Amino acid sequence: MVAARRPRLLKGRLVSAGCVLILASVPALANAQAYQCRTPQVSSVPQIAPDGARRDTPVTGYTLALSWSPEFCKPREDSRAHRVQCSGENGRFGFVVHGLWPQSPRGSWPQWCAAQSRLTPAQIREHMCMMPSARLIARQWAKHGSCMTRRPETYLGVTRILWDSLRIPDYDRISREEGLTAGRIRQAFADANGSSWQAFHVGVKLNERGWLQEIRLCYSRRFRPTRCDDARFGARDDVAARIWRGL
């Protein structure tokens, strides 16, 4: 996989008090994997039922969770529910956005807030190359985005700005290194993204067999990279890791 270069976030912050978005005017940014992705038609918005109680807690920061598709899709290539992401019919994916999550003190987070606006099929389709699942987009808005802003287009727009600001290292090459560790995975990401990123800003989630599942990027309330707490930091630097490249 060739390292993907994305334009940096020029200026932007989401102010949790009142959930007001303040963004500088920036040109439309092309998704780095768009050349691999054929956007499917979306005719309806999946219905999402809350799986927990509403929790309206103050927002002190954010997590951008990136899912490693080859590992996610390994047991799901024939799944109708994950057809867009995993069948290969709409392209092959590396990292995709799992979600942008508001954080609260002491490891808590707000969830399932009262949404002021409805998500539309057009909004889902616009972001399917970043988050290749209509149900995932609908769930992330309902569970997390509704606690950040009143409008789904704002939540998805901020998510895209953060996503497009990142550079993804060549994890295909890195996966072939002897003695690969979680620390090497996070350091490679920090090195690829400039001096504002340090390894302790990057969480690494491995599954029980040691394969890479997700990278979790920790942001302050003003969307600056910040030190991950223990829960988001994940695997220690010295833990052995593997990266599934797909077939």
Side-chain angles (χ1 to χ4, degrees):
M1 181 178 296
V2 177
R5 182 182 180 88
R6 299 189 179 92
R8 292 191 176 280
L9 177 64
L10 299 180
K11 182 179 180 182
R13 61 190 179 97
L14 193 65
V15 182
S16 57
C19 292
V20 179
L21 177 70
I22 302 176
L23 286 174
S25 177
V26 296
L29 301 175
N31 186 285
Q33 291 187 334
Y35 72 94
Q36 300 177 355
C37 176
R38 292 181 293 278
T39 307
Q41 294 298 319
V42 179
S43 59
S44 62
V45 177
Q47 296 298 307
I48 304 297
D51 60 359
R54 176 176 175 174
R55 192 160 57 227
D56 191 5
T57 53
V59 175
T60 56
Y62 302 92
T63 302
L64 183 66
L66 308 181
S67 175
W68 181 243
S69 281
E71 180 62 31
F72 177 83
C73 290
K74 186 162 46 174
R76 298 179 175 91
E77 289 185 356
D78 298 323
S79 168
R80 288 183 59 84
H82 302 286
R83 182 175 179 178
V84 174
Q85 183 174 355
C86 298
S87 70
E89 296 175 6
N90 294 88
R92 294 289 180 181
F93 298 90
F95 276 112
V96 297
V97 173
H98 179 173
L100 176 61
W101 307 333
Q103 302 294 145
S104 295
R106 295 180 293 279
S108 183
W109 60 88
Q111 64 177 18
W112 303 115
C113 299
Q116 302 293 316
S117 301
R118 291 183 179 273
L119 189 65
T120 68
Q123 289 166 345
I124 290 177
R125 188 173 190 271
E126 180 182 356
H127 297 284
M128 285 284 280
C129 288
M130 175 179 71
M131 302 173 71
S133 165
R135 178 163 293 277
L136 174 63
I137 293 174
R139 179 178 174 82
Q140 295 303 303
W141 158 245
K143 184 173 183 177
H144 301 292
S146 62
C147 298
M148 293 169 54
T149 181
R150 296 178 179 179
R151 301 184 302 171
E153 60 265 35
T154 300
Y155 172 69
L156 292 170
V158 171
T159 303
R160 177 170 290 282
I161 288 173
L162 293 175
W163 168 242
D164 284 344
S165 76
L166 302 173
R167 297 181 64 178
I168 304 300
D170 185 355
Y171 281 116
D172 182 272
R173 177 184 59 79
I174 292 170
S175 73
R176 304 171 192 272
E177 295 179 1
E178 293 291 334
L180 183 63
T181 63
R184 171 67 174 122
I185 291 172
R186 62 169 49 92
Q187 188 64 58
F189 186 92
D191 290 346
N193 282 277
S195 60
S196 61
W197 284 93
Q198 302 296 323
F200 51 74
H201 298 147
V202 182
V204 174
K205 182 182 180 183
L206 307 177
N207 67 18
E208 65 278 4
R209 300 181 307 280
W211 293 93
L212 176 64
Q213 281 189 310
E214 287 193 344
I215 281 180
R216 294 181 175 178
L217 306 178
C218 301
Y219 293 90
S220 70
R221 187 177 172 184
R222 296 174 66 87
F223 287 105
R224 303 292 186 185
T226 193
R227 183 182 293 272
C228 295
D229 54 35
D230 289 345
R232 290 183 291 169
F233 189 77
R236 300 187 314 273
D237 283 345
D238 59 353
V239 172
R242 295 186 287 179
I243 301 175
W244 178 253
R245 296 187 297 273
L247 300 176

